[in-house]
Amino acid sequence: MSDPAVILDPFVRGIAAGAMAATALGVWRSRVSPQARWVTLALGVSTICWLITESSRLWGALDQALILVALSYPAGGVFWLFVATVFEDRPVTPVMLAPPGLLLVLGFVMGAGVLADSVWAVFNGLAGVFALHAAFLIARGWRGDLIEGRRQLRALLLGVVTAFVIAQVLIAFGTRADPTAPWRMFMIGRPYGGAMLAVLVLAGSVLFLQARPTLFGGSRRAEAAPDPRAEAADRLLLGRLDTFVAAEGWRREGLSIGGLAGELEIPEHRLRRLINNRLGHRNFADFLNASRIEAAKRRLADPTEARTTVAAIAFDLGYGSLGPFNRAFRAATGAAPTEWRRQALQTSPDLPETG
């Protein structure tokens, strides 16, 4: 018990819990969307409970409150939800709540002792899968992200936090197989593992609070540049973008911001800043979708294309698969493409009769 790490462990966890609480409170009191507030609050509460319940001294000091254990169960799923909401700009739907909900149910079953070993393996395996998919989501959109603060936070989460979560899952399985293995000291319930998590929480809180206005802020056009030379340069670059849009260059599948920058002979960082600050788009996919979805709406509402499948329209507009098109269309219109088409054609006076 004389190990300094053991003595300092409750204090380190307490500082990390305080930083997490400050982050969640800062977002809650800011002018962000309600779903951003709730998701960040859920991540903060679940992480704090995870920090506490994995420490026998802290949890014991709180009379081993079972509510803290329950709130810690969905931590891996809530982290995935946070990543999907922040970095993918996805709305929170019942389907999106499935990962944290599933972990919560499995946690209760595991706590009840029903098939404890099997449920434990499934619970930790799913937590690892959710962390891997979160890393995939973070990496997938990094190049096309137009918000610098969010790009920095992506690097931190991808490079460190997700690796830590995955490592914890692997260590848990390894310790289950060999309880005397030396890597058990790096479990979240041990001082060294707790200290590592505390450092990650503190670093993430600092960076997150700095980048908060851009992370959840709505897309909007920035004010005109006060420098006349910068304004003239922006107008020239915007003219090139307008030509690209008018020529329907957005139809090309697999188009990247780097490829477009090279085609327009614009430095990528300037193109990234221009699309974000002057056109109000948060990522490159959002910029492409603005034209693609408008074109899709015109075609879906056209009676002469009533027999053209939704998939054919999506592929023709540059989507590599139907899933991204459906998500983008629903985000823009609030309805699935098939439902939107049905309603649009019902009101069309030119719909040909079928007999």
Side-chain angles (χ1 to χ4, degrees), residues 137-159:
L137 294 179
I138 294 169
R140 181 176 66 178
W142 184 83
R143 186 70 185 272
D145 199 337
L146 305 177
I147 302 174
E148 190 57 36
R150 195 164 66 173
R151 281 166 57 85
Q152 294 174 1
L153 193 58
R154 278 182 188 270
L156 175 68
L157 285 170
L158 176 61

Side-chain angles (χ1 to χ4, degrees), residues 8-352:
L8 292 175
D9 181 59
F11 299 99
V12 172
R13 291 174 187 266
I15 293 173
M20 198 71 206
T23 301
L25 181 61
V27 173
W28 184 264
R29 297 180 63 182
S30 63
R31 296 179 180 178
V32 301
S33 66
Q35 75 169 26
R37 297 179 187 179
W38 283 109
V39 169
T40 307
L41 178 64
L43 179 65
V45 170
S46 193
T47 302
I48 291 171
C49 291
W50 191 30
L51 278 164
I52 293 174
T53 55
E54 290 291 341
S55 169
S56 58
R57 298 178 67 184
L58 279 179
W59 193 31
L62 295 173
D63 295 327
Q64 296 185 339
L66 295 181
I67 184 62
L68 298 180
V69 179
L71 292 174
S72 71
Y73 284 146
V78 174
F79 174 69
W80 175 88
L81 179 63
F82 176 81
V83 168
T85 302
V86 173
F87 299 115
E88 292 278 294
D89 293 322
R90 296 186 186 181
V92 177
T93 63
V95 174
M96 296 287 288
L97 294 174
L102 180 58
L103 290 182
L104 180 62
V105 171
L106 287 173
F108 278 118
V109 174
M110 182 173 58
V114 179
L115 299 174
D117 289 339
S118 299
V119 176
W120 180 92
V122 173
F123 177 89
N124 284 275
L126 282 175
V129 169
F130 292 146
L132 284 172
H133 190 251
F136 168 75
L137 294 179
I138 294 169
R140 181 176 66 178
W142 184 83
R143 186 70 185 272
D145 199 337
L146 305 177
I147 302 174
E148 190 57 36
R150 195 164 66 173
R151 281 166 57 85
Q152 294 174 1
L153 193 58
R154 278 182 188 270
L156 175 68
L157 285 170
L158 176 61
V160 184
V161 177
T162 53
F164 176 81
V165 174
I166 294 169
Q168 285 298 310
V169 173
L170 295 176
I171 291 172
F173 277 101
T175 304
R176 195 83 166 188
D178 182 7
T180 63
W183 55 68
R184 71 186 188 282
M185 295 302 298
F186 295 96
M187 294 178 63
I188 186 64
R190 299 299 181 95
Y192 297 130
M196 292 171 64
L197 178 59
V199 170
L200 293 178
V201 169
L202 287 170
S205 296
V206 171
L207 184 56
F208 184 83
L209 288 175
Q210 289 177 341
R212 186 187 65 213
T214 58
L215 287 176
F216 292 114
S219 298
R220 61 179 179 86
R221 295 176 183 268
E223 296 295 330
D227 186 345
R229 290 174 299 178
E231 176 67 14
D234 280 356
R235 283 200 302 267
L236 176 62
L237 298 182
L238 285 171
R240 296 183 191 177
L241 270 179
D242 288 340
T243 301
F244 164 81
V245 172
E248 298 188 348
W250 39 264
R251 284 180 178 270
R252 282 172 291 173
E253 181 183 346
L255 181 66
S256 66
I257 190 169
L260 180 58
E263 181 178 330
L264 300 181
E265 299 181 346
I266 301 174
E268 184 176 327
H269 70 277
R270 288 196 64 187
L271 179 60
R272 192 185 304 278
R273 187 170 60 248
L274 185 73
I275 296 175
N276 178 224
N277 291 345
R278 301 304 299 272
L279 300 182
H281 298 292
R282 290 166 61 82
N283 54 63
F284 188 61
D286 185 35
F287 166 68
L288 295 177
N289 286 335
S291 297
R292 289 174 173 176
I293 297 304
E294 285 303 312
K297 288 163 64 177
R298 290 193 297 270
R299 293 185 62 176
L300 290 172
D302 186 352
T304 64
E305 294 212 48
R307 297 186 183 277
T308 306
T309 65
V310 171
I313 292 175
F315 296 146
D316 187 49
L317 294 178
Y319 291 95
S321 62
L322 198 55
F325 171 69
N326 286 336
R327 287 194 296 270
F329 194 91
R330 183 180 289 276
T333 66
T338 52
E339 177 63 19
W340 195 92
R341 165 185 260 178
R342 185 184 65 79
Q343 295 177 359
L345 292 179
Q346 281 180 345
T347 60
S348 174
D350 300 322
L351 180 65

